[in-house]
């Protein structure tokens, strides 16, 4: 190894300073792996800052759309893709181009498998694809949400199997045979326009101080504030704490909602009143169940890892149990509401309003609507859906619905209209007027008075 014979302080500063100055003067070439909801916005932010960005994805359809200057994410206009292309952005599945990148950011999926265990196959196959092309002095950052230890125990060992024998830089002692590694979690909140992306602080944890510093510099070009932590594991855990905090608090209000329903108290009114407390209270809202790529999944990454330490994460398990039961509660409430009208769920015509996992977005992943539709169908209901963001709901990892969007008309034809996702462009007053029965899981009909509304 060259490293053993060279003066560490000289080589250290050289590798570090070269990348550092390239990041400063925007000549660093940046590779983004995984051009989905996280990776594609990152491409645009870095392109705006005049970096030449190359996107890597295994999905040929995405690469084709981007090559044609198109977009496959509703909130990303084609004009932004075209502006990035004018600045040198290209998308490819050719991993040999990794060798030309100065910094590489990995944004691939981290789902759960059928046994509710972490599926790290996307990270490991990405690492397998990068390893042959890793270059000395490169910065490799993992952004995918995962359990503490993934960067160190999974990513780095695969990257270190590169043909040049390069190692991840550790401690102070590194040189021309090393590359830099860090973890930096994504904090995007799709559909939330109240915080500018630039204003969301970016947590970074490098394997060594130089990696942290380079990572801060990279993200400092697109975020107003970076927050360094001591290790990749601390950064990985930070992301999980944030999501577990949400998951547990949502479970808490979901459970209290069930109690309030029995007690005849409006949980939404209570949360609104509690929210007026200027300290020590943060509002979370009940709903039909958890959705999205993060909150229903990430906590289980930690509970799975905790078992290795002979430790049970009881809050996560309890929150999971309560949140997972919510779609069943919605279906039971719909059946009870129909029963009040002397109808049965079996044979009832039910229109689902909103299938996205949260309002005003085009993301179906883990949406409780999918479970609710399947449960309703199992009970014999004839289910249709309307959602302005989806023409069709096909097949996913866990569902196979093959349903086309139904126009929002003839609402009186349905026995029940079930509001699962409270998209802003629905006119809820009109919906209630036109419907026989409205089951509202989101308090979307707030302010509308009618005996036809059932909150659940
Ligand atoms: N979506 C969010 O709001 C959000 C927020 C915070 C964190 N995250 C985390 O970020 C990560 C990515 O999430 P996402 O929402 O962007 O996922 P996504 O499914 O939208 O995108 C992932 C992309 O990676 C591509 N891909 C898969 N394997 C690949 C490989 N081997 N090489 C190249 N590309 C590959 C897929 O084709 C896809 O385009 C996940 O770990 C997720 O938990 C997501």
């Amino acid at each position: 190894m060259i490293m053993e014979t060279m003066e560490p302080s000289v080589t250290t500063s050289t590798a570090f300073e070269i990348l550092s100055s390239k990041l400063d003067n925007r000549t660093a070439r940046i590779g983004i792996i995984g051009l989905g909801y996280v990776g594609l916005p990152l491409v645009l932010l870095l392109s705006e800052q005049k970096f030449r960005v190359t996107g890597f994805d295994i999905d040929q359809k995405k690469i084709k759309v981007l090559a044609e200057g198109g977009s496959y994410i509703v909130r990303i206009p084609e004009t932004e893709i075209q502006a990035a292309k004018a600045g040198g952005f290209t998308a490819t599945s050719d991993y040999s181009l990794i060798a030309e990148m100065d910094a590489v950011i990995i944004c691939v999926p981290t789902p759960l498998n059928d046994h509710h265990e972490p599926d790290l196959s996307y990270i490991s196959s990405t690492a397998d694809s990068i390893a042959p092309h890793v270059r000395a002095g490169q910065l490799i950052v993992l952004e995918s949400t995962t359990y503490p230890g993934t960067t160190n125990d999974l990513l780095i060992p695969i990257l270190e199997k590169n043909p040049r024998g390069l190692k991840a830089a550790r401690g102070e002692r590194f040189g021309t045979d090393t590359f830099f590694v860090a973890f930096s979690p994504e904090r995007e909140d799709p559909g939330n326009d109240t915080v500018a992306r630039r204003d969301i602080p970016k947590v970074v944890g490098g394997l060594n101080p130089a990696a942290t510093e380079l990572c801060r510099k990279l993200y400092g070009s697109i975020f107003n504030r970076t927050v360094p932590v001591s290790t990749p594991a601390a950064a990985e855990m930070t992301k999980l704490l944030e999501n577990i905090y949400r998951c547990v608090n949502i479970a808490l209000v979901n459970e209290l909602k069930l109690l309030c329903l029995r007690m005849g108290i409006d949980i939404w009114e209570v949360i609104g009143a509690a929210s007026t407390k200027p300290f020590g209270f943060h509002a979370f809202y009940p709903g039909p169940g958890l959705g999205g790529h993060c909150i229903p999944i990430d906590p289980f990454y930690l509970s799975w890892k905790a078992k290795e330490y002979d430790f049970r994460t009881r809050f996560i398990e309890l929150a999971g149990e309560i949140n997972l039961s919510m779609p069943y509660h919605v279906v039971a409430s719909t059946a009870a509401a129909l029963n009040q009208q002397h109808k049965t769920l079996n044979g009832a015509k039910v229109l689902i309003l909103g299938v996205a996992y949260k309002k005003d977005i085009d993301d179906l992943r883990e949406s409780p609507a999918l479970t609710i539709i399947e449960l309703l169908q199992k009970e014999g209901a004839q289910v249709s859906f309307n959602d302005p963001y989806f023409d069709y709901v096909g097949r996913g990892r866990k569902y196979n619905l093959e349903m086309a969007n139904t126009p929002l008309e003839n609402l009186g034809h349905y026995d029940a209209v079930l509001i699962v996702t409270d998209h802003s462009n629905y006119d809820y007053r009109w919906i209630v007027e036109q419907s026989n029965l409205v089951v509202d899981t989101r308090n979307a009909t707030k302010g509308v008075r009618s005996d036809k509304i059932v909150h659940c």
Side-chain angles (χ1 to χ4, degrees):
M1 296 266 166
I2 306 165
M3 172 66 201
E4 305 306 324
T5 56
M6 294 183 87
E7 174 55 50
S9 60
V10 175
T11 54
T12 294
S13 66
T14 309
F16 176 83
E17 279 163 12
I18 289 173
L19 182 50
S20 187
S21 86
K22 281 183 162 186
L23 289 168
D24 280 339
N25 61 28
R26 309 293 197 251
T27 55
R29 289 195 55 189
I30 318 286
I32 306 290
I33 304 184
L35 301 173
Y37 289 94
V38 169
L40 193 56
L42 210 48
V43 165
L44 301 178
L45 288 173
L46 288 159
S47 290
E48 270 169 30
Q49 292 305 312
K50 310 293 177 218
F51 285 106
R52 195 170 146 208
V53 184
T54 305
F56 296 81
D57 207 294
I58 49 170
D59 184 341
Q60 296 302 328
K61 276 188 258 160
K62 285 186 176 147
I63 291 173
K64 186 166 179 287
V65 171
L66 295 171
E68 290 163 359
S71 171
Y72 41 79
I73 296 181
V74 167
R75 65 180 188 280
I76 297 182
E78 294 186 343
T79 47
E80 291 189 17
I81 303 292
Q82 286 151 17
K85 277 170 65 71
F89 165 59
T90 52
T92 181
S93 53
D94 178 3
Y95 266 97
S96 70
L97 295 175
I98 288 288
E100 295 175 19
M101 303 299 124
D102 296 295
V104 175
I105 305 177
I106 303 169
C107 314
V108 295
T110 43
L112 294 172
N113 66 19
D114 292 343
H115 304 289
H116 243 62
E117 293 164 347
D119 174 0
L120 292 172
S121 61
Y122 296 89
I123 295 182
S124 53
S125 72
T126 301
D128 281 332
S129 305
I130 302 176
H133 313 290
V134 168
R135 213 171 27 78
Q138 250 177 352
L139 170 65
I140 296 175
V141 185
L142 179 62
E143 278 218 15
S144 305
T145 308
T146 182
Y147 58 72
T150 308
T151 306
N152 208 22
D153 305 339
L154 177 84
L155 179 68
I156 291 174
I158 302 178
L159 295 180
E160 287 184 338
K161 282 189 205 142
N162 63 80
R164 298 187 185 92
L166 304 172
K167 297 287 170 209
R170 292 180 168 81
E172 297 300 323
R173 204 179 141 67
F174 53 93
T176 52
D177 60 350
T178 58
F179 53 92
F180 301 100
V181 181
F183 181 85
S184 179
E186 167 58 42
R187 275 177 161 168
E188 205 200 359
D189 185 13
N192 179 353
D193 296 329
T194 60
V195 188
R197 192 81 200 284
R198 231 191 133 73
D199 289 332
I200 303 173
K202 193 83 167 97
V203 173
V204 299
L207 191 63
N208 68 349
T212 302
E213 204 38 49
L214 289 168
C215 198
R216 290 188 76 182
K217 207 163 256 235
L218 169 62
Y219 287 113
S221 67
I222 50 174
F223 294 103
N224 286 331
R225 187 173 160 219
T226 55
V227 182
V229 293
S230 59
T231 57
E236 289 160 338
M237 189 67 159
T238 302
K239 173 71 185 175
L240 291 182
L241 169 61
E242 292 167 10
N243 284 355
I244 291 163
Y245 170 79
R246 279 181 65 77
C247 177
V248 168
N249 278 288
I250 292 168
L252 175 67
V253 287
N254 274 334
E255 186 175 67
L256 292 181
K257 174 185 79 171
L258 298 180
L259 175 63
C260 282
L261 281 169
R262 280 198 200 177
M263 296 175 80
I265 297 168
D266 178 353
I267 183 75
W268 295 89
E269 181 189 9
V270 173
I271 295 170
S275 300
T276 60
K277 188 178 177 186
F279 48 86
F281 184 83
H282 183 91
F284 289 86
Y285 299 98
L290 293 182
H293 193 286
C294 297
I295 313 298
I297 292 174
D298 303 346
F300 295 106
Y301 267 67
L302 190 63
S303 49
W304 179 84
K305 187 68 180 169
K307 289 188 192 127
E308 197 180 306
Y309 294 83
D310 206 9
F311 191 95
R312 266 188 66 206
T313 49
R314 286 170 292 168
F315 272 104
I316 295 175
E317 284 166 28
L318 180 59
E321 192 183 312
I322 294 170
N323 290 328
L324 284 172
S325 74
M326 296 316 292
Y328 294 85
H329 159 74
V330 171
V331 171
S333 302
T334 307
L338 285 166
N339 188 44
Q340 287 296 316
Q341 298 193 352
H342 309 285
K343 292 178 180 173
T344 59
L345 191 50
N346 192 348
K349 293 189 183 68
V350 180
L351 176 68
I352 304 286
L353 286 193
V355 289
Y357 80 80
K358 71 182 211 181
K359 71 183 205 179
D360 303 338
I361 64 164
D362 62 332
D363 194 342
L364 263 186
R365 288 176 296 177
E366 309 293 325
S367 174
L370 303 169
T371 312
I372 290 169
I373 291 172
E374 283 185 337
L375 292 174
L376 288 170
Q377 286 177 336
K378 252 190 222 160
E379 295 300 323
Q382 296 172 37
V383 189
S384 314
F385 85 88
N386 175 274
D387 190 310
Y389 293 89
F390 297 94
D391 291 334
Y392 192 75
V393 175
R395 223 172 233 259
R397 274 164 67 92
K398 294 190 198 146
Y399 60 91
N400 182 8
L401 294 176
E402 311 284 2
M403 290 168 73
N405 186 47
T406 306
L408 196 60
E409 57 194 28
N410 297 331
L411 296 189
H413 158 82
Y414 299 97
D415 296 299
V417 171
L418 173 49
I419 302 170
V420 177
T421 310
D422 50 340
H423 290 309
S424 306
N425 48 6
Y426 283 134
D427 178 345
Y428 292 102
R429 189 173 296 279
W430 178 84
I431 287 166
V432 173
E433 278 165 13
Q434 302 296 312
S435 305
N436 294 313
L437 168 68
V438 174
V439 181
D440 183 359
T441 68
R442 299 275 192 180
N443 204 28
T445 56
K446 183 181 176 190
V448 183
R449 284 177 170 271
S450 169
D451 292 343
K452 292 191 257 178
I453 303 171
V454 170
H455 292 277
C456 85

